[in-house]
Amino acid sequence: MEITENILLIREQIADCCTRIQRAADSVRLVAVSKVKPAAMVEEAFLAGQTIFGESYVQEFCEKAALVKQPVEWHFIGHLQSNKVKYLSGLVSLIHSVDRLSLAREIDRQWGKVGKTANVLIQVNLGEEASKSGTTSQELVSLVRQIAQLKHVRIKGLMALPPWLEEPEEVRPYFRELRELAQEIEALQLPGVEMQELSMGMSHDFAVAIEEGATLVRIGTAIFGERQR
Ligand SMILES: *Cc1c(COP(=O)(O)O)cnc(C)c1O
């Protein structure tokens, strides 16, 4: 029951935030990050009306997806190795974490095999942290141009996992930078590239992310509790 309450509370907070800044409430979608949490928790969240779930580890995700009987929508949000892409085609509706051409090429190949087009976000490593995936903001435009050439890949926006800072307000400049990068790319009007999604904001800083234009907030801990790893 706690999961249900958490979801209702977060939805309320998202709605309040949207009202405050005069954004339509349905312009922000909640991605419930269920990595390392059991299928039963996903099912419980689904019963509370949650439809989109974010996962980070391919093998763990595939095992879980096989257990979940409800028609949930899966997003992949974690670092992705090219040799594991084949397990995701047909299973996930959005990959948030594309950060290099070789990965995009493999996604193109695997989605092409099943006759589909993959929707992806380009992950930007705004803090240029060595421990995190993501292209740099300097390389972003050239990467987008190259990925846009791929037949079975459609770029839908950008994603960032900014440095974890105690005070959410301190993360604001990163969220703003991601929005500005999206606007720069939008202005280029590249065929096959849309900047409709900004995936940013987690449990402790999603309100600030929404104020800066997030359309997808990825929330784990505040819904499912602390993780062991
Ligand atoms: C785990 C994870 C989240 C969720 O973080 P919480 O702080 O638990 O809300 C969001 N985004 C990514 C990319 C993650 O790996």
Coordinates of all heavy atoms in Angstrom, one line a residue, residues 33 35 56-57 77-78 123 159-161 164 201-204 218-222 225 227, ligand 1:
V33 N 11.0 4.4 -11.6 CA 12.3 3.6 -11.7 C 12.3 2.4 -10.8 O 12.4 2.5 -9.6 CB 13.5 4.5 -11.5 CG1 14.8 3.7 -11.6 CG2 13.5 5.7 -12.5
K35 N 14.3 -0.4 -11.1 CA 15.5 -1.2 -11.1 C 15.7 -1.8 -9.7 O 15.5 -1.2 -8.7 CB 16.7 -0.3 -11.5 CG 17.0 0.8 -10.6 CD 18.1 1.7 -11.1 CE 18.4 2.8 -10.1 NZ 19.1 3.9 -10.7
S56 N 17.4 -0.3 -15.5 CA 18.8 0.1 -15.8 C 19.7 -1.1 -16.1 O 20.8 -0.9 -16.6 CB 19.4 0.8 -14.6 OG 18.8 2.1 -14.4
Y57 N 19.3 -2.3 -15.7 CA 20.2 -3.4 -15.9 C 19.5 -4.5 -16.8 O 18.4 -5.0 -16.5 CB 20.5 -4.1 -14.6 CG 21.0 -3.0 -13.6 CD1 20.2 -2.6 -12.5 CD2 22.3 -2.5 -13.7 CE1 20.7 -1.6 -11.6 CE2 22.8 -1.5 -12.9 CZ 22.0 -1.1 -11.8 OH 22.4 -0.1 -11.0
I77 N 16.8 3.1 -19.0 CA 17.4 4.4 -18.6 C 18.9 4.3 -18.2 O 19.5 5.3 -17.9 CB 16.6 5.1 -17.4 CG1 16.7 4.2 -16.2 CG2 15.2 5.3 -17.8 CD1 16.2 4.9 -14.9
G78 N 19.4 3.0 -18.2 CA 20.8 2.8 -17.7 C 21.8 2.8 -18.8 O 21.5 2.8 -20.0
Q123 N 21.8 11.0 -24.2 CA 22.2 11.3 -22.8 C 23.4 12.2 -22.9 O 24.4 11.9 -23.5 CB 22.5 10.0 -22.0 CG 22.9 10.4 -20.6 CD 23.1 9.1 -19.7 OE1 22.8 8.0 -20.1 NE2 23.6 9.3 -18.5
M159 N 18.4 13.5 -22.4 CA 18.4 13.1 -21.0 C 19.6 13.4 -20.3 O 20.7 13.5 -20.9 CB 18.2 11.5 -21.0 CG 18.1 10.9 -19.7 SD 19.7 10.5 -18.9 CE 19.4 8.8 -18.4
A160 N 19.5 13.7 -19.0 CA 20.7 14.0 -18.2 C 20.6 13.5 -16.8 O 19.4 13.4 -16.3 CB 21.1 15.5 -18.2
L161 N 21.7 13.1 -16.3 CA 21.8 12.6 -14.9 C 22.8 13.5 -14.3 O 24.0 13.2 -14.2 CB 22.3 11.2 -14.9 CG 22.3 10.3 -13.7 CD1 21.0 10.2 -13.1 CD2 22.9 8.9 -14.1
W164 N 24.9 14.6 -8.3 CA 24.0 14.6 -7.2 C 24.4 15.7 -6.2 O 25.5 15.7 -5.7 CB 24.0 13.2 -6.5 CG 22.8 13.0 -5.6 CD1 21.7 12.3 -6.0 CD2 22.6 13.5 -4.3 NE1 20.7 12.4 -5.0 CE2 21.2 13.1 -3.9 CE3 23.3 14.2 -3.4 CZ2 20.7 13.4 -2.7 CZ3 22.7 14.5 -2.1 CH2 21.4 14.1 -1.8
G201 N 15.5 15.0 -13.7 CA 14.8 15.1 -12.4 C 14.6 13.7 -11.8 O 14.1 12.8 -12.5
M202 N 15.0 13.5 -10.6 CA 14.9 12.3 -9.9 C 14.1 12.5 -8.5 O 13.6 13.6 -8.4 CB 16.2 11.6 -9.6 CG 17.2 11.8 -10.8 SD 18.4 10.5 -11.0 CE 19.3 10.7 -9.4
S203 N 14.2 11.6 -7.6 CA 13.3 11.7 -6.4 C 13.5 13.0 -5.7 O 12.5 13.6 -5.3 CB 13.7 10.6 -5.4 OG 13.2 9.4 -5.9
H204 N 14.7 13.5 -5.5 CA 14.9 14.7 -4.7 C 14.9 16.0 -5.4 O 14.9 17.0 -4.8 CB 16.1 14.5 -3.8 CG 17.4 14.9 -4.4 ND1 17.9 14.3 -5.6 CD2 18.3 15.9 -4.1 CE1 19.0 14.9 -5.9 NE2 19.3 15.9 -5.1
R218 N 12.2 10.8 -13.7 CA 12.6 9.4 -13.4 C 12.7 9.3 -11.9 O 13.7 9.7 -11.3 CB 13.9 9.0 -14.1 CG 14.0 9.4 -15.6 CD 15.3 9.0 -16.1 NE 16.4 9.6 -15.4 CZ 17.0 10.7 -15.6 NH1 16.7 11.4 -16.7 NH2 18.0 11.1 -14.8
I219 N 11.7 8.6 -11.3 CA 11.7 8.6 -9.8 C 11.6 7.2 -9.3 O 10.7 6.4 -9.7 CB 10.4 9.4 -9.3 CG1 10.6 10.8 -9.8 CG2 10.3 9.3 -7.8 CD1 9.5 11.8 -9.4
G220 N 12.6 6.8 -8.5 CA 12.7 5.5 -8.0 C 12.5 5.5 -6.5 O 11.5 5.0 -6.0
T221 N 13.5 6.0 -5.7 CA 13.4 5.9 -4.3 C 12.1 6.4 -3.7 O 11.6 5.8 -2.7 CB 14.6 6.7 -3.7 OG1 15.8 6.3 -4.4 CG2 14.8 6.5 -2.2
A222 N 11.7 7.5 -4.1 CA 10.5 8.1 -3.5 C 9.2 7.3 -3.8 O 8.2 7.5 -3.1 CB 10.2 9.5 -4.1
G225 N 11.2 3.0 -2.4 CA 12.1 3.0 -1.2 C 13.5 2.9 -1.6 O 13.8 2.8 -2.8
R227 N 17.3 1.6 -2.4 CA 17.8 0.4 -3.1 C 19.1 -0.1 -2.3 O 19.8 0.7 -1.7 CB 18.2 0.8 -4.5 CG 17.0 1.0 -5.4 CD 17.5 1.4 -6.8 NE 18.2 2.7 -6.8 CZ 17.7 3.9 -6.9 NH1 16.4 4.0 -7.1 NH2 18.4 4.9 -6.9
Ligands
LIG1 C1 18.2 5.0 -10.4 C2 18.0 6.1 -11.4 C3 17.0 7.1 -11.2 C4 16.1 7.1 -10.0 O1 16.8 7.8 -8.9 P1 16.0 8.0 -7.5 O2 16.9 9.0 -6.8 O3 15.9 6.7 -6.8 O4 14.7 8.6 -7.8 C5 16.8 8.0 -12.2 N1 17.5 8.0 -13.3 C6 18.5 7.1 -13.5 C7 19.3 7.2 -14.8 C8 18.8 6.2 -12.6 O5 19.7 5.3 -12.8

